[in-house]
């Protein structure tokens, strides 16, 4: 049921790409559904000098694809105000505070404030400090801080940042965004696990052979070369999104589905992920960078030729790793993960590969070597959402040939259109004060500890890169990582293209 939540949104970085692409459209969807209605106002801030009218035009443009009526545009954008702002200038915070108080009164917001930092992390500390010292936080309503990733660049910088923010906001007021946690099917992982006894009773090392998580992207770095070249796939995707998905898959069932209980279990799971030493990193984690390549009629340039990227860049655009979770449930089960840019297809999916039957009773006599295909539960996160289960059946006809069949449930396009965008969900959660789908400091800290050693090991050595052509599913070492343990990636979107001659072998 929708409810008209009262709040003032102060968006730092209000002229930026994230605000335009994600925040304003998400706010509009919430507005349309009545989750925010009469009692909300938005202040956009950034260095540029913009008028309220110009800001409203930009906001109107950002929601065009949602096909608003003229009336809707006017009603919605009339809640938007712009204040040019230098984040280092104390006096300018006072101006911001005065505007905030005025809007609070005008829209009867009861002092509820949501500060959204959609800017480079180096400003997070100073902004939080000023919000507190210049009393833009209120005593009456709630004051919450939403921050975007990256949260630090390693454990040490993350801790420093947390310390700075913590001087102004308490942990329960801090909402660290990991937009994967807003995705419908990521949230559905818990429903699949804890709502179905047939899965939860098998969810352990006795029945599961391996867990595979793929976050593949077909795009390159687009206009973000400057940022990405400093970050790389490990920090951009593994430290946050991938380890969050790992924790949801690996956690123990919470006693009750509450924010605190879930968080405790996620943190426990992350703390059980083995922290490698350098030797183990070399054996269990591989990286890659894309070179030129083509897929069908499309040719792509190499990463090093992308704008903003150093010509001899060693930055990885691909990571594959085996993580081990040293606890009673998961001992010995590899969690294989991979992510990369310019791969064959965009797709996020999880494959839970179950152990084969102890023996293949359908084998030829004297043939002790055959195994039946494994049962696989696949959770599709995007672009389609849903899940499938691969089971073995009998092929129709003579003899007794086993034929894997797939029970497939994917959401129809209609459902997908209605599926709330990740940011919309997360903003609404934050308005309601529900931090379940945000990352707690302990999770961030533990994730950095897991990836820091990988980064340090890699920084000591150069890799022969580029080592995979754009359009492929990554470097050979990512396939070898599984093969050397008798496993293989379940999802192979490249095979189809190779068979059609559209991708080189
Ligand atoms: C972001 C990364 O966090 O996630 C991007 O910074 C990446 O590099 C993006 O492209 C992927 O998100 P999604 O929702 O498109 O899978």
């Amino acid at each position: 049921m929708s409810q008209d939540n009262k709040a003032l949104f102060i968006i730092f970085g209000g002229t930026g790409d994230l605000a335009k692409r994600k925040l304003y459209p998400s706010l509009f969807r919430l507005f349309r559904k009545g989750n925010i209605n009469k009692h909300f106002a938005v202040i956009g801030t950034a260095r540029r000098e913009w008028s309220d009218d110009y800001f409203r035009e930009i906001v109107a443009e950002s929601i065009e694809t949602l096909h608003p009526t003229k009336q809707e545009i006017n009603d919605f954008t009339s809640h938007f105000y712009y204040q040019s702002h230098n984040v280092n200038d104390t006096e300018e915070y006072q101006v911001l505070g005065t505007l905030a108080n005025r809007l609070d009164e005008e829209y009867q917001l009861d002092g509820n404030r949501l500060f959204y930092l959609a800017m480079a992390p180096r400003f997070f500390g100073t902004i939080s400090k000023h919000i507190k010292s210049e009393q833009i936080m209120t005593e009456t309503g709630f004051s919450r801080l939403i921050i975007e990733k990256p949260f630090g660049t390693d454990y040490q910088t993350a801790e420093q940042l947390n310390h700075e923010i913590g001087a102004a906001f308490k942990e329960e007021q801090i909402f660290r965004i990991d937009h994967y946690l807003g995705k419908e099917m990521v949230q559905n992982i818990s429903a699949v696990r804890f709502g179905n006894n047939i899965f939860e009773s098998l969810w352990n090392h006795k029945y599961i052979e391996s867990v595979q998580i793929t976050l593949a992207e077909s795009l390159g770095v687009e206009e973000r070369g400057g940022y990405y070249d400093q970050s790389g796939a490990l920090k951009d995707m593994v430290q946050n999104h991938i380890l969050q998905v790992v924790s949801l898959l690996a956690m123990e069932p919470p006693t009750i589905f509450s924010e605190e209980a879930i968080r405790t279990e996620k943190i426990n799971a992350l703390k059980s992920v083995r922290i490698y030493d350098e030797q183990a990193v070399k054996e269990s984690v591989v990286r890659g960078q894309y070179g030129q390549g083509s897929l069908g009629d499309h040719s792509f340039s190499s990463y090093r030729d992308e704008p903003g990227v150093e010509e001899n860049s060693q930055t990885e655009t691909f990571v594959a790793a085996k993580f081990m979770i040293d606890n009673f449930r998961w001992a010995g089960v590899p969690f294989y993960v991979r992510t990369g840019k310019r791969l064959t297809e965009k797709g996020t999916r999880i494959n839970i590969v179950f152990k084969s039957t102890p023996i293949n009773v359908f084998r030829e006599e004297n043939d002790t070597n055959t195994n039946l295909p494994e049962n696989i539960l696949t959770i599709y996160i995007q672009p389609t959402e849903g899940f499938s289960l691969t089971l073995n059946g009998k092929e129709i006809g003579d003899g007794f040939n086993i034929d894997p069949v797939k029970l497939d449930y994917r959401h129809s396009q209609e459902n997908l259109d209605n599926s709330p965008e990740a940011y919309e969900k997360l903003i609404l959660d934050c308005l309601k004060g529900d931090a379940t789908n945000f990352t707690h400091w302990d999770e961030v800290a533990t994730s950095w500890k897991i990836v820091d050693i990988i980064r340090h090991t890699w920084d000591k050595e150069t890799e022969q890169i580029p080592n995979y052509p754009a359009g492929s599913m990554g470097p050979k070492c990512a396939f070898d990582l599984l093969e050397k343990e008798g496993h293989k990636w379940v999802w192979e979107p490249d095979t189809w293209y190779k068979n059609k001659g559209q991708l080189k072998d």
Side-chain angles (χ1 to χ4, degrees):
M1 217 180 23
S2 70
Q3 183 196 356
D4 182 10
N5 293 286
K6 296 183 177 188
L8 173 66
F9 298 81
I10 304 185
I11 302 183
F12 292 86
T15 57
D17 194 47
L18 177 84
K20 287 189 268 188
R21 271 188 317 114
K22 301 285 187 189
L23 306 187
Y24 303 144
S26 300
L27 287 174
F28 181 66
R29 285 162 187 254
L30 292 174
F31 177 73
R32 233 185 201 168
K33 292 180 186 162
N35 292 119
I36 49 175
N37 188 346
K38 288 198 176 63
H39 303 290
F40 86 98
V42 180
I43 304 178
T45 79
R47 286 198 74 138
R48 294 174 211 188
E49 300 280 345
W50 278 7
S51 64
D52 288 346
D53 283 344
Y54 184 67
F55 183 41
R56 290 172 188 177
E57 271 172 42
I58 298 287
V59 174
E61 262 170 38
S62 76
I63 59 171
E64 251 166 30
T65 51
L66 299 171
H67 310 296
T69 62
K70 269 218 167 90
Q71 183 69 41
E72 279 178 322
I73 297 179
N74 288 340
D75 289 351
F76 178 64
T77 60
S78 71
H79 291 252
F80 283 69
Y81 298 80
Y82 186 80
Q83 179 65 53
S84 84
H85 181 76
N86 170 357
V87 294
N88 294 315
D89 186 336
T90 307
E91 278 173 23
E92 295 198 7
Y93 285 91
Q94 292 160 5
V95 178
L96 195 59
T98 309
L99 175 60
N101 292 342
R102 192 191 94 201
L103 295 178
D104 193 293
E105 222 166 89
E106 201 171 313
Y107 289 92
Q108 297 158 32
L109 305 177
D110 297 347
N112 292 339
R113 296 198 179 161
L114 211 147
F115 303 93
Y116 202 118
L117 307 192
M119 316 195 46
R122 65 178 185 279
F123 301 120
F124 292 173
T126 186
I127 297 175
S128 326
K129 189 177 91 188
H130 282 99
I131 289 175
K132 182 167 175 150
S133 69
E134 301 317 303
Q135 294 164 5
I136 311 182
M137 290 164 97
T138 60
E139 301 277 306
T140 44
F142 63 70
S143 289
R144 296 181 184 140
L145 182 74
I146 304 194
I147 35 186
E148 282 289 329
K149 69 166 248 274
F151 198 86
T153 52
D154 57 13
Y155 174 69
Q156 242 184 341
T157 52
E159 197 187 28
Q160 168 68 24
L161 178 57
N162 201 49
H163 180 73
E164 288 171 15
I165 294 172
F169 290 88
K170 297 196 192 86
E171 179 63 29
E172 61 269 22
Q173 293 176 296
I174 304 173
F175 290 70
R176 297 179 195 78
I177 290 242
D178 182 316
H179 77 283
Y180 265 69
L181 296 180
K183 291 187 194 282
E184 185 66 25
M185 275 312 286
V186 169
Q187 298 187 356
N188 224 328
I189 292 173
S190 301
V192 172
R193 280 193 59 188
F194 307 130
N196 298 291
N197 204 13
I198 59 164
F199 294 132
E200 193 46 33
S201 7
L202 304 181
W203 211 259
N204 58 53
H205 66 100
K206 287 190 204 140
Y207 300 101
I208 292 180
E209 179 71 26
S210 73
V211 174
Q212 303 186 7
I213 301 169
T214 303
L215 271 61
E217 295 188 80
S218 51
L219 292 179
V221 285
E222 312 305 295
E223 287 88 42
R224 298 166 69 230
Y227 149 76
Y228 193 87
D229 208 34
Q230 299 299 315
S231 162
L234 183 69
K235 294 184 184 179
D236 189 51
M237 299 293 280
V238 179
Q239 183 271 337
N240 36 66
H241 310 320
I242 287 195
L243 285 171
Q244 281 295 318
V245 173
V246 167
S247 70
L248 288 168
L249 289 167
M251 69 192 248
E252 291 301 312
T255 34
I256 184 85
F257 208 64
S258 72
E259 177 184 327
E260 209 187 311
I262 295 170
R263 172 164 291 164
T264 308
E265 297 307 342
K266 279 176 71 191
I267 293 171
N268 281 341
L270 280 175
K271 288 196 167 150
S272 309
V273 174
R274 188 179 304 166
I275 308 233
Y276 289 141
D277 58 18
E278 289 191 12
Q279 187 52 33
V281 167
K282 287 179 193 159
E283 286 162 12
S284 306
V285 194
V286 299
R287 59 182 151 159
Q289 187 194 81
Y290 62 86
Q292 282 178 332
S294 63
L295 188 64
D297 298 335
H298 300 278
S299 327
F300 306 105
S301 50
S302 70
Y303 172 70
R304 288 177 175 180
D305 288 331
E306 304 274 14
V309 171
E310 297 274 332
E311 59 186 296
N312 289 320
S313 171
Q314 278 282 322
T315 303
E316 76 287 354
T317 58
F318 179 97
V319 178
K322 176 181 83 165
F323 288 123
M324 298 305 289
I325 301 183
D326 294 324
N327 63 20
F328 222 81
R329 183 184 285 268
W330 293 114
V333 181
F335 278 61
Y336 296 117
V337 305
R338 63 179 166 170
T339 183
K341 301 242 180 233
R342 276 274 182 261
L343 301 185
T344 315
E345 262 179 33
K346 163 121 185 140
T348 302
R349 57 177 74 181
I350 298 161
N351 294 107
I352 311 288
V353 183
F354 291 92
K355 292 197 162 147
S356 294
T357 53
I359 196 164
N360 176 2
V361 299
F362 310 109
R363 70 189 185 282
E364 299 282 324
E365 254 179 276
N366 304 326
D367 181 358
T368 47
N369 250 341
T370 55
N371 265 334
L372 287 171
E374 296 120 334
N375 299 129
I376 297 169
L377 169 70
T378 303
I379 303 179
Y380 301 92
I381 292 171
Q382 61 184 14
T384 53
E385 297 180 342
F387 38 93
S388 70
L389 185 61
T390 311
L391 301 171
N392 291 318
K394 179 189 164 300
E395 200 177 78
I396 298 175
D398 297 341
F400 215 100
N401 290 331
I402 291 298
D403 188 22
V405 286
K406 208 177 200 182
L407 307 182
D408 210 353
Y409 168 75
R410 312 255 194 129
H411 291 298
S412 67
Q413 197 52 43
E414 192 187 337
N415 280 342
L416 280 183
D417 281 347
N418 290 333
S419 162
E421 233 268 332
Y423 274 88
E424 175 190 346
K425 271 181 174 227
L426 294 174
I427 293 173
L428 185 58
D429 281 355
C430 181
L431 276 173
K432 294 185 169 153
D434 179 352
T436 313
N437 295 310
F438 292 81
T439 42
H440 189 272
W441 164 243
D442 286 344
E443 296 170 70
V444 177
T446 311
S447 306
W448 276 124
K449 287 180 188 162
I450 297 166
V451 305
D452 275 357
I453 175 69
I454 303 175
R455 187 72 263 164
H456 292 155
T457 309
W458 285 352
D459 285 345
K460 288 187 183 164
E461 283 171 15
T462 50
E463 174 78 35
Q464 284 294 328
I465 42 182
N467 60 0
Y468 71 97
S472 70
M473 277 309 278
K476 183 169 175 302
C477 49
F479 296 87
D480 296 345
L481 182 71
L482 275 68
E483 263 161 42
K484 69 182 180 193
E485 301 191 336
H487 294 139
K488 145 180 206 291
W489 292 107
V490 172
W491 189 38
E492 300 178 300
D494 46 343
T495 311
W496 188 89
Y497 292 89
K498 283 178 185 163
N499 291 343
K500 297 242 168 217
Q502 296 193 11
L503 178 67
K504 280 207 199 100
D505 223 339

